[in-house]
């Protein structure tokens, strides 16, 4: 980005109307990907000068243990629901989860899920890092995921959505293909970077389960209806040019017993519709790239 | 600009947790548990029965539901009292109608001030869980250990004296603990606490204390007071949770549905009907075992 400029110059302005037609495999109109955040939050992290991790003195019992629910109970509940309807995950991974709970990472890998980095921990933020520190986090992410899963990470979602002006340039320099941090579009778009190339894939923050439940205060059934409405609209518009729908999730939210049933019915609806190309982030970016 | 080097070192990055309070365990890998009478879903109702002084304390933090306006806050003081005078009795009637015995997490000041209320709860066969002293009795790191030890001792001692039985369970205000709480509860003879929401069955801390997870996401405070859903939506959500857990229990062993309710929230005239209907529906399900927390802990412990 153009550091210090009013317009950060992240991408070219490109209105929705009159774009070249993107075609998804099999003539599907909307590429649907599910992004489970597999995270580790530390119980007693050091403070970042610009953002506190927990709102309470450590241990923040509810904050910590709510998230721990993912790694003891709800990951498998969420993942089984996805697998039953043919949805692979593209995982936003706190890479230290590979050390703390390799059982969770292995389960995702066995299901054929793709991994991208969501930082080391979701309690360590990028604000204030110098370039060497940021490079260390990227290199750690690549090496950790490779060692744990054999996968080369292709994408990035900044830990707790904390960025620096150089993150996008750096991940492109390291050869990553996509960022999930830009919310300006319903289609894959090119990102301006200093070297190499980078695409933004829609991560659909507005239908993230955290937004649904804790920003918009939706009931579980209302959230499921929201996903269906989002899908129906994007599937219709995708006839003109292929759209992208992401379902960003946290097992400790969507995998709660009052939410998982309605959510599974939304997955069932999308899978049965016939217009969805149910895929992974890297495959969607590749299909888009091949049409540029 | 750069961050302190310590911000990029990870001394607790290792197999298992970044603390030594308890060990990791995935629910799906555990031996299935079974509940008495062949039931598959333990429905644990837990009522929080609280006394809010009109002079709120902020050390270490102000409890949820506490006074809001400048002194004297008649509005919140009396609305909370409404829960104890009226709402609790509506709930007790609803439990009797459904044939449910429950836990009542009680501030010990309630026992001191209103022994008749405590007697009514005990006479109906419900369990008293210790819930601090009053709503100024919050716990977090920073509270001196001697004060925390004294607070726990006062709460347990008072409830024991008034109810005739020392509580086996403990619920912290806002489920908030300090680094010392787990050990202090064990030292005070408590067998289980309800503060950690990371699981759906009981589990044991390394020091021997048991945690019985009281899901805050399913509480009336979260669904009704925070997310502002109707009581009808709340009942639908709890019904959906029950259905899901009953489905899992059919193949994976006993499950537990925690129902955490607050007299001044659920015990209002326009909400209680929906709650009664929910209990009636649950009572009609063949899978349901209504049980207080202590009985669930005992049934679980016997199978470990």
């Amino acid at each position: 980005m153009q550091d210090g400029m009013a317009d950060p110059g992240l991408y070219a302005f490109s209105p929705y109307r009159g774009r070249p037609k993107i075609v998804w495999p099999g003539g599907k109109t909307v590429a649907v990907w599910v992004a489970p955040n597999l995270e580790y939050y530390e119980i007693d992290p050091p403070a970042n000068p610009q953002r506190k991790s927990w709102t309470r003195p450590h241990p923040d019992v509810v904050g910590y243990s709510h998230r721990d629910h993912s790694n003891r109970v709800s990951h498998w509940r969420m993942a089984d629901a996805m697998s039953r309807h043919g949805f692979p995950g593209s995982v936003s991974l706190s890479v230290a989860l590979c050390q703390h709970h390799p059982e969770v990472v292995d389960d995702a890998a066995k299901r054929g899920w793709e991994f991208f980095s969501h930082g080391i921990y979701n309690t360590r933020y990028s604000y204030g890092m110098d370039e060497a520190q940021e490079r260390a986090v990227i290199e750690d992410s690549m090496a950790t995921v490779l060692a744990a899963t054999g996968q080369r990470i292709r994408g990035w979602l900044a830990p707790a959505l904390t960025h620096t002006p150089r993150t996008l340039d750096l991940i492109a320099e390291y050869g990553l293909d996509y960022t999930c941090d830009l919310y300006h579009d319903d289609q894959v778009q090119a990102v301006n970077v200093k070297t190499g190339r980078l695409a933004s894939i829609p991560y659909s923050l507005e239908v993230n389960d955290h937004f649904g439940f804790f920003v918009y205060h939706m009931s579980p059934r209302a959230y499921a209806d929201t996903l269906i409405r989002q899908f129906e609209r994007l599937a219709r518009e995708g006839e003109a040019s292929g759209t992208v729908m992401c379902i960003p999730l946290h097992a400790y939210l969507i995998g709660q017993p009052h939410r998982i049933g309605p959510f599974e019915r939304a997955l069932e609806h999308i899978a049965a519709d016939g217009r969805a190309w149910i895929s992974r982030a890297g495959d969607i970016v590749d299909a888009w790239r091949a049409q540029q | 600009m750069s961050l302190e080097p310590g911000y990029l070192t990870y001394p607790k990055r290792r197999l298992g947790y970044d603390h030594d309070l308890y060990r990791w365990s995935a629910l799906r890998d555990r031996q299935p548990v079974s509940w008495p009478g062949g039931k598959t879903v333990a429905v644990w109702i837990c009522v929080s029965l609280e006394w809010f002084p009109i002079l709120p304390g902020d050390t270490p933090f102000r409890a949820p539901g506490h006074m809001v306006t400048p002194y004297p806050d008649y509005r919140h003081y009396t609305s909370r009292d409404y829960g104890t005078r009226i709402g609790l009795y509506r709930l007790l009637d609803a439990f009797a109608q459904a044939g449910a015995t429950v836990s009542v997490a009680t501030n010990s000041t309630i026992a001191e001030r209103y022994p008749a209320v405590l007697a009514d709860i005990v006479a109906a066969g419900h369990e008293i869980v210790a819930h601090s002293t009053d709503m100024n009795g919050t716990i977090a790191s920073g509270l001196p250990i001697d004060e925390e030890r004294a607070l726990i001792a006062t709460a347990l001692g008072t409830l024991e004296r008034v109810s005739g039985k020392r509580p086996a369970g403990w619920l912290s205000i806002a489920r908030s603990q300090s680094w010392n709480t787990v050990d202090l509860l064990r030292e005070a003879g408590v067998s289980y606490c309800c503060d950690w929401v990371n699981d759906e069955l009981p589990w044991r801390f390394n020091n021997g204390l048991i945690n019985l997870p009281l899901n805050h996401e399913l509480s009336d405070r979260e669904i009704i007071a925070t997310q502002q859903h109707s009581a009808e939506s709340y009942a639908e959500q709890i019904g959906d949770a029950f259905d899901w857990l009953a489905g899992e229990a059919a193949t994976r062993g006993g499950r537990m549905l925690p129902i955490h309710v607050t007299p001044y929230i659920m015990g209002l005239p326009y909400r209680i009907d929906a709650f009664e209907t929910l209990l009636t529906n649950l009572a009609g399900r063949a899978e349901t075992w209504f049980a207080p927390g202590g009985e669930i802990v005992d049934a679980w412990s016997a199978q470990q």
Side-chain angles (χ1 to χ4, degrees):
Chain A
M1 66 170 268
Q2 303 293 315
D3 193 9
M5 306 293 283
D7 173 358
L10 295 166
Y11 39 73
F13 182 75
S14 161
Y16 203 17
R17 187 177 296 164
R19 289 185 179 176
K21 179 166 182 167
I22 297 292
V23 180
W24 297 130
K28 306 293 185 185
T29 59
V30 55
V32 179
W33 67 293
V34 180
N37 286 269
L38 304 190
E39 294 170 329
Y40 197 95
Y41 289 75
E42 296 161 283
I43 200 167
D44 193 22
N48 181 290
Q50 286 173 266
R51 180 171 157 181
K52 273 174 75 172
S53 339
W54 298 113
T55 54
R56 295 178 169 281
H58 305 169
D60 183 332
V61 170
V62 171
Y64 180 86
S65 63
H66 192 196
R67 286 155 183 87
D68 188 22
H69 189 277
S70 286
N71 296 326
R72 297 171 71 92
V73 178
S74 43
H75 164 72
W76 292 269
R77 192 178 276 159
M78 171 189 72
D80 286 348
M82 290 166 57
S83 296
R84 276 195 289 274
H85 300 285
F87 288 80
S90 304
V91 175
S92 159
L93 180 68
S94 295
V95 300
L97 191 68
C98 297
Q99 278 82 38
H100 289 289
H101 302 311
E103 300 86 349
V104 177
V105 175
D106 290 347
D107 177 80
K110 283 200 191 93
R111 293 173 196 264
W113 294 9
E114 167 178 336
F115 296 90
F116 57 88
S117 178
H118 192 31
I120 311 297
Y121 287 106
N122 219 31
T123 36
R124 304 271 180 145
Y125 308 132
S126 310
Y127 299 136
M129 283 189 186
D130 64 28
E131 184 174 326
Q133 291 174 327
E134 215 171 341
R135 284 182 184 278
V137 171
I138 296 169
E139 290 170 16
D140 184 328
S141 294
M142 296 173 76
T144 301
V145 174
L146 186 66
T149 70
Q151 286 190 32
R152 183 182 73 83
I153 58 167
R154 302 185 57 191
W156 197 265
L157 177 70
L161 311 190
T162 63
H163 315 108
T164 79
R166 71 177 87 75
T167 310
L168 298 174
D169 289 330
L170 285 179
I171 61 173
E173 183 193 315
Y174 279 97
L176 273 60
D177 297 306
Y178 61 90
T179 170
C180 307
D181 280 307
L182 307 179
Y183 308 116
H184 56 308
D185 221 285
D186 284 324
Q187 294 185 302
V188 180
Q189 295 285 295
V191 178
N192 294 333
V193 286
K194 279 187 185 146
T195 55
R197 58 187 195 181
L198 190 69
S200 67
I201 184 167
Y203 176 75
S204 312
L205 200 57
E206 285 277 329
V207 297
N208 184 303
D209 55 357
H210 174 80
F211 270 64
F213 300 126
F214 295 122
V215 176
Y216 297 121
H217 289 168
M218 291 177 195
S219 72
R221 293 189 188 194
Y223 176 70
D225 289 345
T226 298
L227 293 179
I228 290 171
R229 278 195 295 276
Q230 176 99 347
F231 168 75
E232 291 288 337
R233 182 74 197 199
L234 289 170
R236 208 157 67 235
E237 291 183 358
E239 291 167 13
S241 178
T243 51
V244 178
M245 173 176 176
C246 178
I247 307 178
L249 300 174
H250 303 77
Y252 70 92
L253 302 178
I254 202 66
Q256 293 288 343
H258 59 320
R259 296 193 178 116
I260 188 70
F263 173 69
E264 181 162 2
R265 289 194 285 279
L267 290 184
E268 194 176 5
H269 175 102
I270 293 168
D273 179 87
R275 288 175 293 173
W277 176 37
I278 296 168
S279 192
R280 304 185 305 176
D283 299 325
I284 295 169
V285 170
D286 288 344
W288 169 83
R289 179 69 71 193
Q291 297 175 61
Q292 299 307 298
Chain B
M1 186 160 62
S2 63
L3 294 174
E4 292 290 319
Y7 199 76
L8 279 92
T9 58
Y10 316 105
K12 301 270 174 76
R13 189 174 176 181
R14 63 190 183 195
L15 183 65
Y17 288 113
D18 59 336
H19 60 74
D20 297 314
L21 290 164
Y22 56 89
R23 278 183 296 278
W24 179 81
S25 151
L27 176 60
R28 75 154 42 192
D29 297 335
R30 291 177 218 156
Q31 280 298 318
V33 299
S34 48
W35 303 128
K39 305 294 186 182
T40 57
V41 182
V43 178
W44 172 35
I45 299 170
C46 182
V47 180
S48 277
L49 187 59
E50 305 165 329
W51 190 70
F52 293 83
I54 201 167
L55 299 168
D58 288 332
T59 312
F61 65 91
R62 191 175 296 200
H66 218 315
M67 303 300 112
V68 175
T69 77
Y71 175 82
D73 185 348
Y74 284 179
R75 178 153 62 99
H76 289 93
Y77 181 81
T78 58
S79 305
R80 303 309 176 242
D81 256 357
Y82 178 95
T84 309
R85 300 161 65 98
I86 310 292
L88 174 70
Y89 283 89
R90 288 200 181 107
L91 290 173
L92 290 175
D93 288 347
F95 301 148
Q97 202 181 346
T101 49
V102 310
S103 299
V104 183
T106 308
N107 286 167
S108 62
T109 302
I110 291 275
E112 247 169 352
R113 294 172 57 91
Y114 316 123
V117 169
L118 217 72
D120 289 337
I121 296 167
V122 171
H126 302 309
E127 173 193 24
I128 302 294
V129 165
H131 187 36
S132 198
T133 47
D134 62 31
M135 294 309 279
N136 286 352
T138 52
I139 294 171
S141 291
L143 180 68
I145 189 168
D146 292 341
E147 288 180 33
E148 185 175 349
R149 185 181 280 117
L151 180 149
I152 291 168
T154 303
L156 290 166
T158 306
L159 289 166
E160 180 178 10
R161 177 165 51 77
V162 179
S163 75
K165 195 177 165 194
R166 191 166 177 87
W170 174 274
L171 173 66
S172 300
I173 295 170
R175 299 170 175 71
S176 177
Q177 299 190 347
S178 75
W179 292 116
N180 299 316
T181 308
V182 169
D183 284 338
L184 291 176
L185 292 176
R186 180 80 173 147
E187 175 188 303
V190 168
S191 49
Y192 73 96
C193 75
C194 317
D195 295 335
W196 296 67
V197 294
N198 56 355
D199 212 299
E200 296 183 4
L201 285 177
W203 52 267
R204 210 176 270 281
F205 290 95
N206 291 339
N207 78 350
L209 184 72
I210 290 167
N211 185 71
L212 182 66
L214 182 58
N215 192 331
H216 69 303
E217 286 255 56
L218 296 173
S219 66
D220 61 351
R221 176 175 302 286
E222 177 63 31
I223 293 177
I224 294 181
T226 301
Q227 301 200 1
Q228 313 225 318
H229 301 165
S230 66
E232 288 70 24
S233 174
Y234 162 87
E236 181 182 81
Q237 293 177 46
I238 301 295
D240 284 351
F242 183 92
D243 287 342
W244 186 272
L245 294 170
E248 278 190 1
T251 56
R252 297 193 173 274
R255 288 292 184 260
M256 177 178 77
L257 174 67
I259 298 184
H260 188 196
V261 290
T262 315
Y264 67 82
I265 298 174
M266 194 57 81
L268 299 183
Y270 71 98
R271 290 191 180 126
I272 193 73
D273 282 355
F275 186 67
E276 284 176 351
T277 304
L278 169 69
L279 293 191
T280 302
N281 291 343
L282 294 179
R285 296 286 297 260
E287 302 96 333
T288 299
W289 175 43
F290 282 120
E295 287 185 24
I296 295 171
V297 165
D298 289 345
W300 173 83
S301 296
Q303 296 171 60
Q304 299 309 301

